[in-house]
Each structure stands twice: as structure tokens, then as C-alpha cells.
Amino acid sequence: MKHTFRHFALALACSTVGLAPVYAQQKLKYPKQPAANEIYDAVEKPAVPLGGLEAYAQYLADKQQYPTAALQAGTQGTVNVTFVVEKTGSISNVAVAQPVAPELDAEAIRLIKGGPRWTPAQHRGGVVRQRVSVPITFQIPAGTEGAAAASTTPSTAAGPTTQVVTPDKPARPVGGTDAFFEWIQQNQKYPALARQRKIQGRVMMEFVIQKDGTLTDIKPLKRLGSGLDEEAIRLIKAAPKWEPATYKGQAMKQKMVLPVVFQL
């Protein structure tokens, strides 16, 4: 497990996940023989990921790490990544067609570069290079859009009231996000039952960062079972303190929703 905090939903249109690589199959006039280094957009037999589209979509879903900064900012959207499947099945020229947000663009590129090899395209009896486009969707789970919201409790004549505001400085782990991710990775204990059943994925955890930086109100929003939910709860409860969110120079509580990733 690399980064443990991020999320989430991917849109690669295939039969089980509803996602698929987008091939621009246009009516083009093909040469009689494929050119050695030409990159094709339309071919007789398109390139496909090793293992098939369903397995590729599952890879993207399992490996996506929703950037913390994007979660805190409530940023979501679909990043369309283009790349070239070489004759060897490797990929090159990975780029984002239309940038959405720097954090999401970078994570989408990381996913594509870290993916499996492909079976190269074929055209007119020869193996050719093909340009492929894959949409990767980042969507904050329903009901957690306010995950990065912080609250303050001012006093009035009628008593204390609570209002939700956007913090001037969001909460962050003491020592930085990378250090927190590293701590989660080093201290994770994969439940034996989940390992036996070969269950992996993300447990979406909600918690509140108090004014003193402690983590409370810890609960899973998306469960995996087989002991993974309990392990995610244990990790968050035992995690180091955070630097609390601040608003106008004063510490305040902040709700956070982040995934704990379990990977065999």
C-alpha cells in the first residue's frame, strides 16, 4: 500500500464497473502497409490491457488514491488520460488531455503508468502503435461532500451555537501528510481472515480532528468486512495527532473522510 488516504470512484466503461478505454474509431483511409513508427487512432484490432477490460477497471478502482488536498477542497471530476500502447505492450507518451486539478491529474497519470502491460494493437496483419484514451473519475462519496468542513462554536445570548465555516488553514497531520501515510503503512496489520479470503480495497473512514489535534468520532462509512473495518478503526484511533484547522487564528474542529487502503 503506497498512499493510504484518498479516493475515489472511477469511470472506465466496462461491463462490471461501467468504464472502458475510449478509442477514437474514425473512418480513416489506411495505408496498404502500416508505417513502422506511425501512431494510429483507429485500427482493425485495438489494444487491450492484459487480463481484459474488467480486470483493468478493477485495478484502477483498487489502486486509486484520492489526494488529501483534493478531498479537503472538495475537488472532483474526470481526468482524461491519453497514452500510446507500443508494439511491445508497454505504454508511453502519458498525458492529460484537459487538466482538471493538479492533484487529480498527477494521480491519474500515476495510475496509468503503474498499470499492467497491454496486448498491442494490430492493423492490416501487423502490430502497430495505438493512441488510447482512458477517463479516470474522482468522485467524493455521496454524503461526505462536507468531509473537509470545520465547525466553530461561538456563544450568543441564547447559548452556544454551532456554525460550519471554511477554515483558513485546514487540519493536517503533524509531520506532514507523507509521514502520516508512512505511519499507516508501517503499522497496518492485515487481518488473517481477509488475507485468507484475498479481500482488499478501501475502508472509507470518517473522523473529527479536535481543537487539540486528537482524532475522535471515528467510524467507517464504507466497509469491507473480514476484519478490515476493525483494523482501519484501530489505525485511526492509534494514529499520531494532527495540527487542528484554524479560522481567524483560532483552532477549530474539522471533520475528515479518508480511505484506509488494504492491498495484498
Side-chain angles (χ1 to χ4, degrees), residues 76-154:
Q76 52 188 345
T78 298
V79 180
N80 198 32
V81 183
T82 62
F83 54 94
V84 174
V85 178
E86 299 289 347
K87 296 179 182 180
T88 61
S90 62
I91 64 172
S92 66
N93 298 28
V94 182
V96 173
Q98 293 182 331
V100 175
E103 300 87 358
L104 300 185
D105 298 341
E107 173 59 11
I109 290 174
R110 184 194 70 81
L111 279 169
I112 295 299
K113 286 185 174 181
R117 296 175 71 87
W118 289 57
T119 299
Q122 295 184 28
H123 185 63
R124 294 197 177 274
V127 175
V128 297
R129 306 168 75 200
Q130 184 189 3
R131 183 178 290 105
V132 175
S133 178
V134 174
I136 299 180
T137 296
F138 296 85
Q139 182 177 352
I140 298 173
T144 63
E145 291 81 358
S151 62
T152 181
T153 308

Side-chain angles (χ1 to χ4, degrees), residues 102 114 165 189 236:
V165 300
K189 299 176 182 178
I236 298 300

Side-chain angles (χ1 to χ4, degrees), residues 23-86:
Y23 301 99
Q25 299 288 357
Q26 302 173 354
K27 293 183 179 179
L28 303 176
K29 294 183 179 179
Y30 302 115
K32 293 182 179 180
Q33 298 251 338
N37 295 316
E38 184 172 351
I39 299 174
Y40 290 85
D41 291 305
V43 294
E44 293 173 348
K45 187 176 181 181
V48 294
L50 291 179
L53 294 178
E54 292 183 16
Y56 190 71
Q58 191 61 49
Y59 155 78
L60 293 175
D62 290 341
K63 302 299 183 182
Q64 188 190 84
Q65 301 173 353
Y66 212 118
T68 303
L71 272 172
Q72 291 177 335
T75 305
Q76 52 188 345
T78 298
V79 180
N80 198 32
V81 183
T82 62
F83 54 94
V84 174
V85 178
E86 299 289 347

